[in-house]
Coordinates of all heavy atoms in Angstrom, one line a residue:
M1 N 0.6 28.7 53.1 CA -0.3 29.3 52.1 C -0.3 30.8 52.1 O -0.6 31.4 53.1 CB -1.7 28.8 52.3 CG -2.1 27.6 51.4 SD -3.0 28.2 49.9 CE -4.6 28.5 50.5
L2 N -0.1 31.4 51.0 CA -0.1 32.9 50.9 C -1.6 33.3 50.9 O -2.4 32.7 50.2 CB 0.6 33.3 49.7 CG 2.1 33.1 49.7 CD1 2.7 33.5 48.3 CD2 2.8 33.9 50.8
K3 N -1.8 34.4 51.5 CA -3.1 35.1 51.5 C -3.0 36.5 51.0 O -2.0 37.1 51.3 CB -3.7 35.1 52.9 CG -4.1 33.7 53.4 CD -4.9 33.7 54.7 CE -4.0 34.0 55.9 NZ -4.6 33.8 57.2
L4 N -4.0 36.9 50.3 CA -4.0 38.3 49.8 C -4.5 39.3 50.9 O -5.5 39.0 51.6 CB -4.9 38.4 48.6 CG -5.1 39.8 48.0 CD1 -3.8 40.3 47.5 CD2 -6.1 39.7 46.8
Y5 N -3.7 40.3 51.1 CA -4.0 41.3 52.2 C -4.3 42.6 51.5 O -3.7 43.0 50.5 CB -2.9 41.4 53.2 CG -2.8 40.3 54.2 CD1 -2.1 39.1 53.8 CD2 -3.4 40.4 55.4 CE1 -2.0 38.1 54.7 CE2 -3.3 39.4 56.3 CZ -2.6 38.2 56.0 OH -2.6 37.2 56.9
I6 N -5.2 43.3 52.2 CA -5.5 44.7 51.8 C -5.5 45.6 53.0 O -5.5 45.1 54.1 CB -6.9 44.8 51.1 CG1 -8.1 44.4 52.0 CG2 -7.0 44.0 49.8 CD1 -8.7 45.5 52.7
F7 N -5.5 46.9 52.9 CA -5.8 47.7 54.0 C -6.8 48.8 53.7 O -7.1 49.0 52.5 CB -4.5 48.4 54.6 CG -3.8 49.4 53.7 CD1 -4.3 50.7 53.7 CD2 -2.8 49.1 52.8 CE1 -3.7 51.7 52.9 CE2 -2.2 50.0 52.0 CZ -2.6 51.4 52.1
N8 N -7.3 49.3 54.8 CA -8.4 50.4 54.6 C -7.7 51.7 54.4 O -6.9 52.1 55.2 CB -9.2 50.4 55.9 CG -10.5 51.2 55.8 OD1 -10.6 52.1 54.9 ND2 -11.4 50.9 56.6
K9 N -8.1 52.4 53.3 CA -7.5 53.7 53.1 C -7.9 54.7 54.1 O -7.2 55.7 54.4 CB -7.9 54.2 51.7 CG -7.3 53.4 50.5 CD -7.6 54.2 49.2 CE -7.9 53.3 48.1 NZ -8.5 53.9 46.9
K10 N -9.1 54.5 54.7 CA -9.5 55.4 55.7 C -8.9 55.0 57.1 O -8.7 53.8 57.3 CB -11.1 55.3 55.8 CG -11.8 56.0 54.8 CD -13.2 56.2 55.1 CE -14.0 57.1 54.2 NZ -15.4 57.0 54.4
L11 N -8.7 55.9 57.9 CA -8.2 55.7 59.2 C -9.3 55.3 60.2 O -10.4 55.7 60.1 CB -7.5 56.9 59.8 CG -6.3 57.5 59.0 CD1 -5.9 58.8 59.5 CD2 -5.1 56.5 59.0
D12 N -8.9 54.3 61.1 CA -9.9 54.0 62.1 C -9.9 55.0 63.2 O -9.2 56.0 63.2 CB -9.7 52.6 62.6 CG -8.4 52.4 63.4 OD1 -7.8 53.4 63.7 OD2 -8.0 51.3 63.7
E13 N -10.6 54.8 64.3 CA -10.8 55.8 65.4 C -9.5 56.0 66.1 O -9.3 57.0 66.8 CB -11.9 55.4 66.3 CG -11.7 54.2 67.2 CD -12.0 52.9 66.4 OE1 -12.4 52.9 65.2 OE2 -11.9 51.8 67.0
K14 N -8.5 55.1 65.9 CA -7.2 55.3 66.6 C -6.2 55.8 65.7 O -5.0 55.9 66.0 CB -6.7 53.9 67.1 CG -7.5 53.4 68.3 CD -7.0 52.1 68.8 CE -7.9 51.5 69.9 NZ -7.7 50.1 70.0
G15 N -6.6 56.2 64.4 CA -5.6 56.8 63.5 C -4.8 55.7 62.7 O -3.8 56.0 62.2
N16 N -5.3 54.5 62.7 CA -4.6 53.4 62.0 C -5.3 53.0 60.8 O -6.6 53.1 60.7 CB -4.5 52.2 62.9 CG -3.6 52.4 64.1 OD1 -2.5 53.1 64.0 ND2 -4.0 51.9 65.3
H17 N -4.5 52.5 59.8 CA -5.1 51.8 58.6 C -5.2 50.4 59.0 O -4.2 49.7 59.3 CB -4.1 51.9 57.5 CG -4.0 53.3 56.9 ND1 -4.9 53.9 56.1 CD2 -3.0 54.2 57.0 CE1 -4.5 55.1 55.8 NE2 -3.3 55.3 56.3
E18 N -6.4 49.9 59.0 CA -6.6 48.5 59.4 C -6.3 47.5 58.2 O -6.7 47.7 57.1 CB -8.0 48.3 59.8 CG -8.2 47.1 60.8 CD -9.2 47.4 61.9 OE1 -10.4 47.5 61.6 OE2 -8.7 47.6 63.1
V19 N -5.5 46.5 58.6 CA -5.1 45.5 57.5 C -5.9 44.3 57.7 O -6.1 43.7 58.8 CB -3.6 45.2 57.7 CG1 -3.2 44.1 56.8 CG2 -2.7 46.4 57.5
H20 N -6.5 43.8 56.5 CA -7.3 42.6 56.5 C -6.8 41.7 55.4 O -6.2 42.1 54.4 CB -8.7 43.0 56.0 CG -9.5 44.0 56.8 ND1 -10.4 43.7 57.8 CD2 -9.4 45.4 56.8 CE1 -10.8 44.8 58.3 NE2 -10.3 45.8 57.8
H21 N -7.1 40.4 55.6 CA -7.0 39.5 54.4 C -8.3 39.5 53.7 O -9.4 39.8 54.3 CB -6.4 38.2 54.8 CG -7.3 37.2 55.5 ND1 -8.4 36.7 55.0 CD2 -7.1 36.7 56.7 CE1 -8.9 35.8 55.8 NE2 -8.2 35.8 56.9
V22 N -8.3 39.1 52.5 CA -9.5 39.4 51.6 C -10.7 38.5 52.0 O -11.8 38.8 51.5 CB -9.2 39.2 50.1 CG1 -8.4 40.4 49.6 CG2 -8.5 37.9 49.8
N23 N -10.5 37.5 52.8 CA -11.7 36.7 53.2 C -12.3 37.2 54.5 O -13.2 36.5 54.9 CB -11.2 35.2 53.4 CG -10.8 34.6 52.0 OD1 -11.3 34.9 51.0 ND2 -9.8 33.7 52.1
C24 N -11.9 38.3 55.0 CA -12.4 38.8 56.2 C -13.9 39.2 56.0 O -14.3 39.7 55.0 CB -11.7 40.0 56.6 SG -12.3 40.8 58.2
A25 N -14.7 38.9 57.0 CA -16.1 39.3 57.0 C -16.3 40.7 57.3 O -17.5 41.2 57.2 CB -16.9 38.4 58.0
H26 N -15.3 41.4 57.6 CA -15.4 42.9 58.0 C -14.6 43.8 57.2 O -14.0 44.7 57.7 CB -15.0 43.0 59.5 CG -15.9 42.2 60.4 ND1 -17.0 42.8 61.1 CD2 -15.9 40.9 60.8 CE1 -17.6 41.8 61.8 NE2 -16.9 40.7 61.6
L27 N -14.5 43.5 55.9 CA -13.8 44.3 55.0 C -14.4 45.7 54.8 O -15.6 45.8 54.9 CB -13.7 43.7 53.6 CG -12.9 42.4 53.4 CD1 -13.0 41.9 52.0 CD2 -11.4 42.7 53.7
P28 N -13.5 46.7 54.6 CA -14.1 48.0 54.3 C -14.7 48.0 52.9 O -14.5 47.1 52.1 CB -12.8 48.9 54.4 CG -11.7 48.0 54.1 CD -12.1 46.7 54.6
D29 N -15.5 49.1 52.7 CA -16.1 49.3 51.4 C -15.0 49.2 50.3 O -13.9 49.6 50.5 CB -16.6 50.8 51.4 CG -17.5 51.0 50.3 OD1 -17.2 50.8 49.1 OD2 -18.7 51.5 50.6
S30 N -15.3 48.5 49.2 CA -14.3 48.3 48.2 C -13.6 49.5 47.7 O -12.4 49.5 47.3 CB -14.9 47.5 47.0 OG -16.0 48.3 46.4
L31 N -14.3 50.7 47.7 CA -13.6 51.9 47.4 C -12.5 52.3 48.3 O -11.6 53.0 47.9 CB -14.7 53.1 47.4 CG -15.7 53.1 46.2 CD1 -16.7 54.2 46.5 CD2 -15.0 53.3 44.9
N32 N -12.6 51.8 49.5 CA -11.6 52.1 50.5 C -10.5 51.1 50.7 O -9.7 51.2 51.6 CB -12.2 52.4 51.9 CG -13.1 53.7 51.8 OD1 -12.7 54.6 51.2 ND2 -14.2 53.6 52.4
Q33 N -10.5 50.0 49.8 CA -9.6 49.0 50.0 C -8.3 49.3 49.1 O -8.5 49.6 47.9 CB -10.1 47.6 49.5 CG -11.3 47.2 50.4 CD -11.8 45.8 49.9 OE1 -11.2 45.1 49.1 NE2 -13.0 45.5 50.3
K34 N -7.2 49.1 49.7 CA -5.9 49.3 49.0 C -5.2 47.9 49.0 O -5.0 47.4 50.1 CB -5.1 50.4 49.6 CG -3.8 50.6 48.9 CD -3.9 51.5 47.7 CE -2.5 51.7 47.1 NZ -2.6 52.3 45.7
W35 N -4.9 47.4 47.8 CA -4.2 46.1 47.7 C -2.8 46.1 48.2 O -2.0 47.0 47.9 CB -4.2 45.8 46.2 CG -4.0 44.4 45.8 CD1 -4.9 43.4 45.7 CD2 -2.7 43.9 45.3 NE1 -4.3 42.3 45.3 CE2 -3.0 42.5 45.0 CE3 -1.5 44.4 45.1 CZ2 -2.0 41.7 44.5 CZ3 -0.5 43.6 44.6 CH2 -0.7 42.3 44.3
L36 N -2.5 45.2 49.1 CA -1.1 45.1 49.6 C -0.3 44.0 48.8 O 0.8 44.2 48.4 CB -1.1 44.8 51.1 CG -1.1 46.0 52.0 CD1 -1.3 45.5 53.5 CD2 0.1 46.8 51.9
G37 N -0.9 42.8 48.8 CA -0.2 41.7 48.1 C -0.4 40.4 48.9 O -1.2 40.4 49.8
H38 N 0.3 39.4 48.5 CA 0.2 38.1 49.1 C 1.3 37.9 50.1 O 2.4 38.0 49.8 CB 0.3 37.0 48.0 CG -0.9 36.9 47.1 ND1 -1.1 37.8 46.0 CD2 -2.1 36.2 47.2 CE1 -2.2 37.5 45.4 NE2 -2.8 36.6 46.1
F39 N 0.8 37.4 51.3 CA 1.8 37.2 52.4 C 1.4 36.0 53.1 O 0.3 35.5 53.1 CB 1.8 38.4 53.3 CG 2.1 39.7 52.6 CD1 1.1 40.5 52.2 CD2 3.5 40.1 52.4 CE1 1.4 41.7 51.5 CE2 3.8 41.2 51.7 CZ 2.8 42.1 51.3
L40 N 2.4 35.4 53.9 CA 2.1 34.3 54.7 C 1.3 34.6 55.9 O 0.5 33.7 56.3 CB 3.5 33.7 55.2 CG 4.3 32.8 54.3 CD1 5.6 32.4 55.0 CD2 3.5 31.5 54.0
N41 N 1.4 35.7 56.4 CA 0.7 36.1 57.6 C 0.6 37.6 57.8 O 1.2 38.4 57.0 CB 1.4 35.5 58.9 CG 2.8 35.9 58.9 OD1 3.2 37.0 58.8 ND2 3.7 34.9 59.2
C42 N -0.2 38.0 58.8 CA -0.4 39.5 58.9 C 0.8 40.2 59.3 O 1.0 41.4 58.9 CB -1.5 39.7 60.0 SG -1.2 39.1 61.6
E43 N 1.7 39.6 60.0 CA 3.0 40.3 60.3 C 3.7 40.7 59.1 O 4.3 41.8 59.0 CB 3.9 39.4 61.2 CG 3.4 39.3 62.6 CD 4.4 38.6 63.5 OE1 5.5 38.4 63.1 OE2 3.9 38.2 64.6
E44 N 3.8 39.8 58.2 CA 4.5 40.2 56.9 C 3.8 41.2 56.2 O 4.4 42.1 55.6 CB 4.7 38.9 56.0 CG 5.7 37.9 56.6 CD 6.0 36.8 55.6 OE1 5.5 36.9 54.5 OE2 6.8 36.0 56.0
A45 N 2.5 41.2 56.2 CA 1.7 42.2 55.5 C 1.9 43.6 56.1 O 2.1 44.6 55.4 CB 0.2 41.8 55.5
L46 N 1.8 43.6 57.4 CA 2.0 44.9 58.1 C 3.4 45.4 57.9 O 3.6 46.6 57.7 CB 1.8 44.7 59.6 CG 0.5 45.2 60.1 CD1 -0.6 44.2 59.9 CD2 0.5 45.6 61.6
D47 N 4.4 44.5 58.0 CA 5.8 44.9 57.8 C 6.0 45.6 56.4 O 6.6 46.6 56.2 CB 6.7 43.7 57.9 CG 8.1 44.1 58.1 OD1 8.3 44.8 59.1 OD2 9.0 43.6 57.4
Y48 N 5.4 44.9 55.4 CA 5.5 45.4 54.0 C 4.8 46.7 53.9 O 5.3 47.7 53.3 CB 4.8 44.4 53.1 CG 4.8 44.9 51.7 CD1 5.9 44.7 50.8 CD2 3.6 45.5 51.2 CE1 5.8 45.2 49.5 CE2 3.5 45.9 49.9 CZ 4.7 45.8 49.1 OH 4.6 46.3 47.8
A49 N 3.6 46.9 54.5 CA 2.9 48.1 54.4 C 3.7 49.3 55.0 O 3.8 50.4 54.5 CB 1.5 48.0 55.1
K50 N 4.3 49.0 56.2 CA 5.0 50.1 56.9 C 6.2 50.5 56.0 O 6.6 51.7 55.9 CB 5.5 49.6 58.2 CG 4.4 49.4 59.2 CD 4.8 48.8 60.5 CE 3.7 48.7 61.5 NZ 4.0 48.0 62.7
R51 N 6.9 49.5 55.5 CA 8.1 49.8 54.6 C 7.7 50.5 53.4 O 8.4 51.5 52.9 CB 8.9 48.5 54.3 CG 9.8 48.1 55.4 CD 10.7 46.9 55.0 NE 9.9 45.7 54.9 CZ 9.8 45.0 53.8 NH1 10.2 45.4 52.6 NH2 9.1 43.9 53.8
T52 N 6.6 50.1 52.8 CA 6.2 50.7 51.5 C 5.7 52.1 51.6 O 5.9 53.0 50.8 CB 5.1 49.8 50.8 OG1 5.7 48.5 50.7 CG2 4.7 50.3 49.5
Y53 N 4.9 52.3 52.7 CA 4.2 53.6 52.8 C 4.9 54.5 53.8 O 4.5 55.7 54.0 CB 2.7 53.4 53.2 CG 2.0 52.8 52.0 CD1 1.8 51.4 52.0 CD2 1.5 53.5 50.9 CE1 1.2 50.7 51.0 CE2 0.9 52.9 49.9 CZ 0.7 51.5 49.9 OH 0.1 50.9 48.9
H54 N 6.0 54.1 54.4 CA 6.8 54.8 55.3 C 6.0 55.4 56.4 O 6.1 56.6 56.8 CB 7.6 56.0 54.6 CG 8.4 55.4 53.5 ND1 9.6 54.7 53.7 CD2 8.3 55.5 52.1 CE1 10.1 54.3 52.6 NE2 9.3 54.8 51.6
R55 N 5.1 54.6 56.9 CA 4.2 55.0 58.1 C 4.2 53.8 59.0 O 4.3 52.7 58.6 CB 2.8 55.2 57.6 CG 2.6 56.6 56.9 CD 1.1 56.8 56.6 NE 1.0 57.1 55.2 CZ 0.0 56.8 54.4 NH1 -0.9 55.9 54.9 NH2 -0.1 57.2 53.2
E56 N 3.9 54.1 60.3 CA 3.8 53.1 61.3 C 2.3 52.8 61.6 O 2.1 51.8 62.4 CB 4.5 53.5 62.5 CG 6.0 53.5 62.4 CD 6.6 52.1 62.1 OE1 6.2 51.2 62.8 OE2 7.5 52.0 61.3
N57 N 1.4 53.6 61.1 CA 0.0 53.4 61.6 C -0.8 52.4 60.9 O -1.8 52.7 60.3 CB -0.7 54.8 61.6 CG -0.7 55.5 60.3 OD1 0.1 55.2 59.4 ND2 -1.7 56.3 60.1
F58 N -0.3 51.2 60.9 CA -1.0 50.1 60.3 C -1.3 49.1 61.5 O -0.5 48.9 62.4 CB -0.3 49.3 59.2 CG -0.1 50.1 58.0 CD1 1.0 50.9 57.8 CD2 -1.1 50.1 57.0 CE1 1.2 51.6 56.6 CE2 -1.0 50.9 55.9 CZ 0.2 51.6 55.7
D59 N -2.5 48.6 61.5 CA -2.9 47.7 62.6 C -3.7 46.5 62.0 O -4.5 46.7 61.1 CB -3.8 48.5 63.6 CG -4.1 47.7 64.8 OD1 -3.2 46.9 65.3 OD2 -5.2 47.8 65.3
G60 N -3.5 45.3 62.5 CA -4.2 44.2 62.0 C -5.6 44.2 62.5 O -6.0 44.7 63.6
C61 N -6.5 43.7 61.6 CA -7.9 43.7 62.0 C -8.2 42.8 63.1 O -7.6 41.7 63.3 CB -8.7 43.2 60.7 SG -10.4 42.7 61.0
Y62 N -9.1 43.2 64.0 CA -9.5 42.4 65.2 C -10.0 41.0 64.8 O -9.8 40.0 65.5 CB -10.5 43.2 66.0 CG -11.2 42.5 67.1 CD1 -10.5 42.5 68.4 CD2 -12.4 41.8 67.0 CE1 -11.1 41.8 69.4 CE2 -12.9 41.1 68.0 CZ -12.3 41.2 69.3 OH -12.9 40.5 70.3
W63 N -10.8 41.0 63.7 CA -11.5 39.8 63.3 C -10.6 38.8 62.5 O -10.6 37.6 62.8 CB -12.7 40.1 62.5 CG -13.6 41.0 63.2 CD1 -13.7 42.4 63.0 CD2 -14.6 40.7 64.2 NE1 -14.6 42.9 63.9 CE2 -15.2 41.9 64.6 CE3 -14.9 39.5 64.8 CZ2 -16.1 42.0 65.6 CZ3 -15.9 39.6 65.8 CH2 -16.5 40.8 66.1
C64 N -9.9 39.3 61.5 CA -9.1 38.3 60.6 C -7.7 38.3 61.0 O -7.0 37.3 60.5 CB -9.3 38.7 59.2 SG -8.6 40.3 58.7
S65 N -7.1 39.3 61.7 CA -5.7 39.3 62.0 C -5.5 39.6 63.5 O -4.7 40.5 63.8 CB -5.0 40.3 61.1 OG -5.3 40.1 59.7
P66 N -6.1 38.8 64.4 CA -6.0 39.2 65.8 C -4.6 39.2 66.3 O -4.3 39.9 67.3 CB -6.9 38.1 66.5 CG -7.0 37.0 65.5 CD -6.9 37.6 64.1
L67 N -3.7 38.4 65.7 CA -2.3 38.3 66.2 C -1.6 39.6 65.9 O -0.6 39.9 66.6 CB -1.6 37.2 65.5 CG -2.0 35.8 65.9 CD1 -1.2 34.8 65.1 CD2 -1.8 35.5 67.4
C68 N -2.1 40.4 65.0 CA -1.5 41.7 64.7 C -2.3 42.9 65.1 O -2.0 44.0 64.8 CB -1.3 41.8 63.1 SG -0.2 40.6 62.5
H69 N -3.3 42.6 65.9 CA -4.2 43.7 66.3 C -3.7 44.3 67.6 O -3.4 43.6 68.6 CB -5.6 43.1 66.5 CG -6.6 44.2 67.0 ND1 -7.0 45.2 66.3 CD2 -7.2 44.3 68.2 CE1 -7.8 46.0 67.0 NE2 -8.0 45.4 68.2
D70 N -3.6 45.7 67.6 CA -3.4 46.4 68.8 C -2.1 46.0 69.6 O -2.1 45.9 70.8 CB -4.6 46.2 69.8 CG -5.3 47.5 70.0 OD1 -4.8 48.6 69.5 OD2 -6.3 47.5 70.7
R71 N -1.1 45.8 68.9 CA 0.2 45.5 69.6 C 1.1 46.7 69.6 O 1.6 47.1 68.6 CB 0.9 44.3 68.8 CG 0.1 43.0 68.9 CD 0.9 42.0 68.2 NE 1.6 42.6 67.0 CZ 2.5 41.9 66.2 NH1 2.8 40.7 66.6 NH2 3.0 42.5 65.2
T72 N 1.2 47.3 70.7 CA 2.1 48.4 70.8 C 2.9 48.3 72.1 O 2.6 47.6 73.0 CB 1.4 49.7 70.8 OG1 0.2 49.6 71.5 CG2 1.1 50.2 69.4
Ligands
LIG1 ZN1 -10.4 41.8 58.9

């Protein structure tokens, strides 16, 4: 099942854009949400975000995307 992912336009305290799926209970303010698209999982969403924005500083949300959180 594809899920819609967004990321926070604002950087978190570690300098990352946090990536969430839209059902997360900890979404940023709607003004700070940037639409990414529909993906199977957070890895695909992060991969797409990095390729699209040519940045590496995307991180999965601790709550909704723990498998993609803080992996370095
Ligand atoms: Zn989240």
Side-chain angles (χ1 to χ4, degrees):
M1 259 266 285
L2 293 175
K3 288 187 285 192
L4 179 59
Y5 284 85
I6 63 96
F7 68 85
N8 192 339
K9 289 190 215 166
K10 283 194 172 170
L11 297 172
D12 66 11
E13 68 278 1
K14 290 178 185 161
N16 291 320
H17 293 284
E18 205 141 72
V19 174
H20 302 263
H21 73 65
V22 288
N23 294 327
C24 180
H26 299 265
L27 288 175
D29 199 301
S30 58
L31 286 174
N32 292 322
Q33 294 178 19
K34 180 81 178 167
W35 196 82
L36 272 174
H38 290 83
F39 303 95
L40 275 177
N41 52 48
C42 60
E43 284 188 16
E44 288 191 2
L46 256 82
D47 197 54
Y48 175 83
K50 289 174 181 177
R51 279 189 285 115
T52 303
Y53 294 95
H54 305 290
R55 284 186 229 143
E56 288 297 316
N57 59 336
F58 291 95
D59 187 39
C61 166
Y62 173 85
W63 304 98
C64 67
S65 307
L67 293 176
C68 297
H69 177 69
D70 244 357
R71 294 181 320 171
T72 38

